[in-house]
Amino acid sequence: MAFAMIFLPILMAALSAAIPSNRLRPWLLPVTGVAHLALTLVTLARPELTTSAAWLVLDPLGKLILLVVSLLFFFCSFYAVGYLHNREERPNRVFCACLMAFLGIMSLVTWAHHLGLMWVAIEGTTLVTAPLIYFNHTQRSIEATWKYLLVGSVGIALALLGTFFLAYASLHTGLEATLTLEGILEHAPKLSKPWLHAAFVLLLVGYGTKMGLAPMHSWKPDAYGEAPGVVGAMLAGGVTSCAFLALLRIYQICQVAGEGAYVSRLLLFMGLLSMAVASLFMVGQRDFKRMLAYSSVEHMGILALGLGIGAPALFGTLLHVVTNGLTKGVLFLSAGNIHRAYGSKSTEQVFGAMRRLPLSGTLFLVGFLAITGSPPFGPFISEFSILNGAFDAGRFATGGLFLFLLLVVFIGMGATVLKVVQGRASVEARNTPYRDSFLTGAPIVGLALLVLLVGLYIPAPLTALIRDAVLFLEGQP
Amino acid sequence: MTNLLNTLLVIVLMLNLFALGTSRIVSVIRTVAAQGALLSLLPLVLHDHLTLAAALTVVPAFALKGVIIPGMMIHALRDVKIKREVEPLIGLQPSVILGALATVFALLFADQLPLIEAHSDALLVPASIATVLTGFILLITRFKALTQVVGYLVLENGIFIFGMLLVEAMPLVVEMGVLLDLFVGIFVICIIVNQINQAFASMDTRRLVSLKE
């Protein structure tokens, strides 16, 4: 099953490169999206399909991330058709091919049970997304792509060094050096501590760069700001979740090795720092796409924080991966529509989006309410559960700071979002050709409904999956 | 074998300092090409008996690190008017001194990490850390896009040295994957460097300042 999920999108990418028509080519995206989602659901339902090779095993953590990526791609693929029809002046061959290859490589990340292979795949996501960010070919997008590539590559290079350190820690036990997850977990209690500590720091910095944890987040506002909305959605919900999966693997190894306290201190620090930095930059932010990027930094901080709190917050943290991924889809896709209609992403020109684009404007507002943790949406449940976990674990200061920073973000983000949606749009903005259409509207509605559903009632299979994942993460089979 | 290995590693460390001390971009690229070529030969001197996996990594690593990637970068340099790193953040001599300090630090730091018996005489760990730090110095203090790419290559070379300790642990497929990623990465970066050059009529990354708060 792994091979089907990894190679189907890559084959479709090759096929799309061969299709000459700029208008027909994007339709391969939804075909791939539907097929991939079907494969994902079949695999989730049938446990006997979850081992494809020694290094390709889909464990509960991988299942969860795969589900997020596949769902998000499903909705984004329909949106992308609508988006690319509005952008017929630009050739989309590279864009379509890279977007589908991106899905294949992300599937590989979720299946990989060899830390070296996982590294190769995560570095691969950096490379295929660079042309996506560069889609508009403007000076600003060159700048964003350059920063993304350089910062991302350096970060991921450090993760490689960390992976090597980890392998050396296992070599030092006197056993055969290994990088398979099973092999390392088996010998984890015997791993050499100095090497393990050094490895964890390097891996946290490396994969933290891909996630966009502060202070390694500098590429994020530029890349998310300049990339098309659909790319922003896939980056903020897909790549970051994959990098977080890598961090979960390392976390699991350190837990089994008995280094939980060391790891959790670092994670709590990085988590709170990311939330604080993001909230500072969100207050008074005029560019609403950069604001979404800082929101992504904030939510990566929440994930690191939840992981740092440990066992009582793990359910909430893993649920937050799902709710954050889906809500980021709503926000980036609706922000993309607003950007298209106004030709600007600054609140100096963009106001009155509710009247100019009733559907996208409303969805943008809904996305904002959801991501800041307002009931009755999904992120409310997951953030509340993390907060509960913090208090259960006796970390009252951490819980208090978490609440305070959420409040700052709510106020800062709210000011920008309300400027965008309220008022009357200017005459120039009302005369641009863009109107909400079925293809650029319906996928966002679908994502928003899912976010609402998780907030009202978490489906039983999802609860079961997350419980399995928590048990797996804590080292119980 | 350890003597020969350590001699090679000392040459690698000297090439680090040379890369830090020269201002002509083409010389920096050639220095790193020489370093990469030298490093790709390490598996041959590392073990008494040559394994197939080690031998198979030598050829693609030599081709990529020593020939293809430097070739692409010299090609990218061809259309660029500025051939020198005119005003680095810190001067060339201070950066050589900084590089030397980094090497000393690497030697001290490597002492803290416990090594297994077979590796205790070799300079692999300090050489690796020193080369990684040199890569960072180049990345931070130079402003020409291509010199920053060179910095990234030096960083990768440092990691490659560390990988020598793990030839058995890293299966061939993964090793090849790492090299492929490196190659595609540099390829994409070279395209972007070209675009920066066309769009800004310069490859000075200090011009990339329109995106900020």
Side-chain angles (χ1 to χ4, degrees):
Chain A
M1 214 43 163
F3 295 103
M5 273 187 206
I6 295 160
F7 288 110
L8 175 93
I10 292 177
L11 274 179
M12 295 299 259
L15 185 63
S16 78
I19 289 182
S21 159
N22 219 17
R23 213 179 155 75
L24 290 177
R25 195 184 299 119
W27 283 103
L28 279 181
L29 289 165
V31 173
T32 314
V34 171
H36 192 269
L37 186 61
L39 285 176
T40 302
L41 293 177
V42 168
T43 314
L44 290 187
R46 298 181 54 185
E48 73 272 16
L49 292 174
T50 51
T51 306
S52 286
W55 297 350
L56 294 174
V57 180
L58 196 65
D59 56 44
L61 288 173
K63 282 182 190 169
L64 191 70
I65 306 294
L66 182 65
L67 183 66
V68 176
V69 167
S70 193
L71 268 176
L72 194 61
F73 187 87
F74 172 79
F75 288 107
C76 285
S77 64
F78 285 96
Y79 177 91
V81 176
Y83 172 74
L84 290 172
H85 280 180
N86 286 322
R87 299 298 309 274
E88 285 197 316
E89 81 281 5
R90 287 224 45 83
N92 58 33
R93 187 186 300 265
V94 175
F95 186 87
C96 289
C98 283
L99 200 57
M100 283 185 273
F102 181 33
L103 178 67
I105 296 174
M106 283 195 291
S107 312
L108 177 59
V109 177
T110 61
W111 279 85
H113 254 216
H114 185 285
L115 295 176
L117 186 65
M118 186 176 73
W119 181 88
V120 168
I122 291 185
E123 166 72 0
T125 61
T126 311
L127 299 178
V128 290
T129 44
L132 297 177
I133 295 172
Y134 188 45
F135 178 65
N136 285 317
H137 280 63
T138 58
Q139 288 201 352
R140 293 170 67 91
S141 66
I142 295 180
E143 183 178 341
T145 314
W146 173 253
K147 287 180 181 168
Y148 174 72
L149 265 178
L150 208 65
V151 176
S153 304
V154 170
I156 207 82
L158 291 181
L160 181 64
L161 192 61
T163 309
F164 282 4
F165 274 30
L166 198 58
Y168 200 80
S170 83
L171 190 66
H172 199 261
T173 58
L175 302 157
E176 201 176 322
T178 176
L179 275 172
T180 56
L181 193 59
E182 286 81 2
I184 290 193
L185 283 174
E186 194 182 318
H187 305 312
K190 286 180 278 174
L191 292 177
S192 155
K193 296 288 182 270
W195 284 104
L196 184 62
H197 286 184
F200 180 76
V201 171
L202 285 171
L203 288 162
L204 178 64
V205 171
Y207 290 130
T209 308
K210 280 301 285 178
M211 274 173 77
L213 288 172
M216 296 88 73
H217 67 288
S218 58
W219 58 272
K220 215 167 188 177
D222 298 346
Y224 288 11
E226 298 311 312
V230 60
V231 176
M234 285 311 296
L235 286 173
V239 174
T240 54
S241 302
C242 286
F244 185 62
L245 177 65
L247 204 56
L248 287 172
R249 304 267 188 235
I250 315 306
Y251 173 84
Q252 190 183 5
I253 292 167
C254 291
Q255 283 293 330
V256 179
E259 291 295 314
Y262 172 79
V263 166
S264 115
R265 258 201 313 275
L266 282 172
L267 283 170
L268 284 176
F269 173 74
M270 294 291 278
L272 286 172
L273 181 69
S274 302
M275 289 186 71
V277 168
S279 61
L280 279 180
F281 281 98
M282 254 195 260
V283 173
Q285 181 60 252
R286 288 205 187 89
D287 182 326
F288 62 84
K289 278 174 101 175
R290 290 177 78 87
M291 175 198 75
L292 294 185
Y294 284 113
S295 167
S296 177
V297 173
E298 177 218 346
H299 285 271
M300 290 306 116
I302 294 179
L303 291 180
L305 184 81
L307 206 55
I309 292 167
L314 285 183
F315 184 88
T317 308
L318 294 181
L319 181 62
H320 197 67
V321 176
V322 180
T323 54
N324 171 56
L326 298 177
T327 316
K328 281 285 156 23
V330 175
L331 279 167
F332 274 97
L333 297 184
S334 54
N337 287 346
I338 295 173
H339 185 192
R340 191 108 296 274
Y342 285 79
S344 162
K345 52 197 179 72
S346 163
T347 48
E348 277 154 27
Q349 281 96 42
V350 182
F351 39 85
M354 283 278 240
R355 288 193 193 172
R356 171 68 181 77
L357 293 173
L359 183 64
S360 297
T362 313
L363 285 167
F364 189 59
L365 186 64
V366 166
F368 153 70
L369 289 173
I371 203 72
T372 47
S374 324
F377 298 101
F380 169 71
I381 308 287
S382 49
E383 285 172 17
F384 193 72
S385 167
I386 293 173
L387 185 67
N388 250 341
F391 289 140
D392 276 355
R395 296 188 184 275
F396 297 101
T398 307
L401 260 175
F402 175 64
L403 260 187
F404 171 72
L405 289 171
L406 282 182
L407 185 70
V408 175
V409 167
F410 182 81
I411 296 170
M413 200 171 166
T416 309
V417 170
L418 289 181
K419 263 185 224 158
V420 169
V421 295
Q422 286 181 334
R424 271 185 87 80
S426 61
V427 181
E428 303 93 73
R430 267 178 280 168
N431 292 332
T432 53
Y434 180 81
R435 296 283 175 273
D436 273 331
S437 67
F438 179 75
L439 278 173
T440 56
I444 317 178
V445 175
L447 280 167
L449 285 177
L450 275 185
V451 173
L452 183 64
L453 171 74
V454 176
L456 295 174
Y457 162 76
I458 309 177
L462 183 62
T463 316
L465 180 57
I466 297 179
R467 284 198 197 292
D468 281 354
V470 170
L471 287 179
F472 180 76
L473 195 56
E474 286 173 337
Q476 294 142 12
Chain B
M1 280 312 205
T2 314
N3 269 337
L4 182 54
L5 176 65
N6 282 350
T7 314
L8 283 181
L9 289 174
V10 169
I11 300 176
V12 167
L13 290 176
M14 284 163 61
L15 287 174
N16 279 342
L17 298 183
F18 193 72
L20 285 170
T22 167
S23 71
R24 282 185 67 208
I25 297 175
V26 71
S27 320
V28 183
I29 296 176
R30 288 205 178 117
T31 309
V32 175
Q35 192 182 46
L38 208 57
L39 289 179
S40 65
L41 299 178
L42 283 185
L44 297 179
V45 300
L46 195 60
H47 296 278
D48 301 327
H49 52 90
L50 190 63
T51 59
L52 180 69
L56 280 179
T57 48
V58 170
V59 178
F62 187 89
L64 277 180
K65 285 178 180 289
V67 183
I68 300 177
I69 291 177
M72 281 188 327
M73 292 175 64
I74 287 174
H75 184 84
L77 190 66
R78 219 181 36 192
D79 311 323
V80 179
K81 278 186 234 96
I82 305 163
K83 306 284 187 204
R84 279 174 187 275
E85 183 72 43
V86 190
E87 38 193 39
L89 182 68
I90 55 173
L92 292 174
Q93 266 150 14
S95 59
V96 174
I97 294 169
L98 204 60
L101 287 177
T103 312
V104 173
F105 169 79
L107 282 163
L108 293 176
F109 181 70
D111 256 3
Q112 309 294 314
L113 294 167
L115 289 175
I116 59 171
E117 196 74 15
H119 300 145
S120 51
D121 300 335
L123 285 173
L124 282 166
V125 177
S128 155
I129 296 172
T131 310
V132 167
L133 290 173
T134 306
F136 264 111
I137 296 172
L138 280 172
L139 271 167
I140 294 166
T141 60
R142 306 296 150 94
F143 294 113
K144 297 286 172 288
L146 269 176
T147 343
Q148 290 182 337
V149 180
V150 171
Y152 173 64
L153 270 182
V154 173
L155 182 73
E156 281 278 348
N157 279 348
I159 296 170
F160 187 85
I161 301 177
F162 195 88
M164 287 301 113
L165 293 170
L166 302 163
V167 179
E168 297 89 3
M170 292 290 281
L172 192 60
V173 183
V174 174
E175 196 94 349
M176 292 300 110
V178 170
L179 279 174
L180 181 73
D181 274 347
L182 176 66
F183 168 69
V184 180
I186 301 290
F187 185 71
V188 177
I189 285 176
C190 279
I191 294 174
I192 297 290
V193 167
N194 239 330
Q195 301 280 348
I196 292 177
N197 193 34
Q198 280 171 17
F200 294 85
S202 152
M203 58 166 195
D204 193 324
T205 52
R206 274 171 298 181
R207 301 226 179 164
L208 304 179
V209 289
S210 55
L211 299 178
K212 58 179 183 228
E213 291 313 322

